[in-house]
Structure formats: C-alpha cells, structure tokens
Amino acid sequence: MKLPLIFSTLRNAFRRFCVPVLLFAAGVAAQGCADNDYDGEHRQATLYDIVELTSTDAAGSTFTLWRPDADEAVTLRASSRVSGVSAGDCLFLAYTPLNGKAYTSGDITIQAQGYVNNSTLKKSTPEKLDGWDSEPVYLMSLWRAGNKVCMRLRMTYDEHARLFALVADETTLEEEYPTVYLFHRRINTDDNFARQYYAAFDVSALWALPGCRGVRVRVNNSNNPALNTFTIENPSYTPVAGEN
C-alpha cells in the first residue's frame, strides 16, 4: 500500500491547516450550599472521548470507541445524528452511556460534539523533513485507537494556515519500526495564546507494510522535552515462528 507524498513545496503544504477543537465546560454554577440541597437523584456521568463515526442516518449514529491502546473496540449507538463528520473520521464526543458503564458497547445520549483534526499519514524524503521541529507543541497525551494515532495537545492559536501533519521518513519504511514526525510550522511567527487541539492520524497504510512491527513517533514536545519519542506497536502484526 502506498503512502502519499507530501511537501512538493512548502507553499502547497501550508494550505493544510488546523481548526481549534470545541471545548466542553462542565458549566457548574458557584452557589452557596444552602441553595443546593442534595435531592438524592442519581445522575449519569458525562464522558469525553475521541470516537470514530461508523455511520449516521435518520435512525441515529453509530460510533467505534477504543480504550487507549486496546485491541478490541466497543460500539456506541445514539438516536441522534452528528453533523460535519464523514464515516471513518473521528470526532470529540461528550456523551452519557445509558447503562452507566464506561468503555462498554451500548446506547448513549450525545451531549455535545467537538472537532478533531483528521488526516492520513504522509511520507517525505529526509531532506524535506528539515524543520519538522521548528515549532514545538505542548503534548498532553498520545495513544493508539485502532488504526489511528491520536493526540491531545496545545498549540499557538493562529488564524493563518499552518503546516500540521504526521510524516514518515520514507527511508525508514522498510524497517520494523519506521520513524514518523509530527511536522508543525506556522507561517506567522507572532506570539499568541495557546489553544487545545485533538488530532487523529490514520496509519493503516503503515500497518499494512510487510514486516512492520510498529512505529516510532517523534514530537517536539515542550511539555516535556525529554519525552519526544513514542513507540506504538502494530496491532495487526503477526510474529513469525521463534520471534519474540
């Protein structure tokens, strides 16, 4: 399976841009205890997860959810539809499981939805990867969800387009653990406040490469500069006889 080539020119690449995720607030008012006597009613907790849209129609929506790095997925079903997302893409979902149990298949009530930057894995020659770390990101979490590598991170807010992609060094694609880079660069270098973003990169093309046991992900991580390389195992890899 071929990976698409990126960076024919940086000018074209800058047309890819990030859109800020919609953040959810609990919305709890600060009031005195005397005005908020507990009424004894049981309320289900609202959960927040990146999920993959399986289908949506007049009957409702179906989602696939992976516990981080899990091999088995669960299926969530809602009677309402989601908008602005295509089947196979991820979204950030606030929902309540009707059975009251997290990470189990079943019906849910959708409370809100937020944007996730969806992208496929790209590839590049080493020389065109120069500058991949020109602007750091504040990485809060990174995990595998099925065939996706998901990230929660903070980046400088900018109304201009930016270069933001997960890019494989094509010279490493025949290795057991190819190396990929979170390439992040802004056209505008002015300081600004930071916003939280979510991203989901489809790496299924990488998993399909012969002999691929996993991937090494490089991130210029301002949250912890020493924590800049992550190894993710290929869930579809089958060891040969006698292999550890």
Side-chain angles (χ1 to χ4, degrees):
M1 185 176 295
K2 295 183 178 180
L3 295 172
L5 183 67
I6 194 173
F7 304 155
S8 56
T9 64
L10 283 178
R11 178 177 299 176
N12 289 335
F14 277 124
R15 294 173 183 172
R16 300 180 179 275
F17 61 94
C18 290
V19 180
V21 69
L22 174 64
L23 301 182
F24 303 105
V28 178
Q31 300 180 8
C33 293
D35 297 330
N36 290 278
D37 293 336
Y38 179 55
D39 58 11
E41 181 181 351
H42 294 278
R43 296 180 175 86
Q44 299 290 352
T46 298
L47 305 180
Y48 303 85
D49 284 295
I50 289 182
V51 300
E52 183 178 314
L53 177 64
T54 304
S55 64
T56 185
D57 53 32
S61 304
T62 304
F63 309 93
T64 302
L65 168 66
W66 281 270
R67 186 188 294 269
D69 299 325
D71 293 326
E72 299 295 331
V74 299
T75 299
L76 305 177
R77 296 177 297 272
S79 58
S80 56
R81 301 186 63 179
V82 294
S83 60
V85 186
S86 300
D89 284 344
C90 291
L91 66 154
F92 190 69
L93 199 68
Y95 64 98
T96 301
L98 299 189
N99 63 9
K101 299 178 181 179
Y103 294 107
T104 59
S105 295
D107 295 332
I108 63 171
T109 298
I110 298 174
Q111 307 296 344
Q113 72 174 86
Y115 186 85
V116 169
N117 290 278
N118 286 278
S119 179
T120 56
L121 180 69
K122 311 297 189 267
K123 71 175 182 179
S124 175
T125 58
E127 59 270 19
K128 291 181 180 178
L129 279 167
D130 288 343
W132 72 270
D133 56 350
S134 62
E135 182 158 352
V137 301
Y138 189 94
L139 185 67
M140 290 177 279
S141 56
L142 182 152
W143 70 98
R144 178 181 64 82
N147 292 324
K148 307 288 179 67
V149 173
C150 296
M151 301 182 191
R152 177 189 175 206
L153 62 165
R154 294 180 66 84
M155 297 187 294
T156 303
Y157 175 73
D158 195 335
E159 294 182 351
H160 299 87
R162 72 177 76 200
L163 183 62
F164 181 73
L166 193 65
V167 188
D169 177 351
E170 65 180 16
T171 65
T172 69
L173 292 178
E174 294 184 0
E175 298 177 4
E176 290 185 335
Y177 289 86
T179 301
V180 303
Y181 299 83
L182 184 65
F183 202 116
H184 180 221
R185 183 187 296 169
R186 290 189 302 142
I187 299 175
N188 175 33
T189 58
D190 294 340
D191 291 335
N192 208 338
F193 64 92
R195 263 190 171 175
Q196 184 169 233
Y197 296 79
Y198 288 89
F201 300 99
D202 187 342
V203 296
S204 54
L206 191 64
W207 295 157
L209 295 177
C212 177
R213 301 186 63 171
V215 63
R216 290 189 178 93
V217 183
R218 296 290 311 279
V219 180
N220 185 5
N221 180 15
S222 62
N223 185 12
N224 184 349
L227 190 62
N228 56 29
T229 304
F230 303 84
T231 300
I232 298 177
E233 301 297 329
N234 180 356
S236 60
Y237 178 76
T238 302
V240 298
E243 186 178 63
N244 293 329

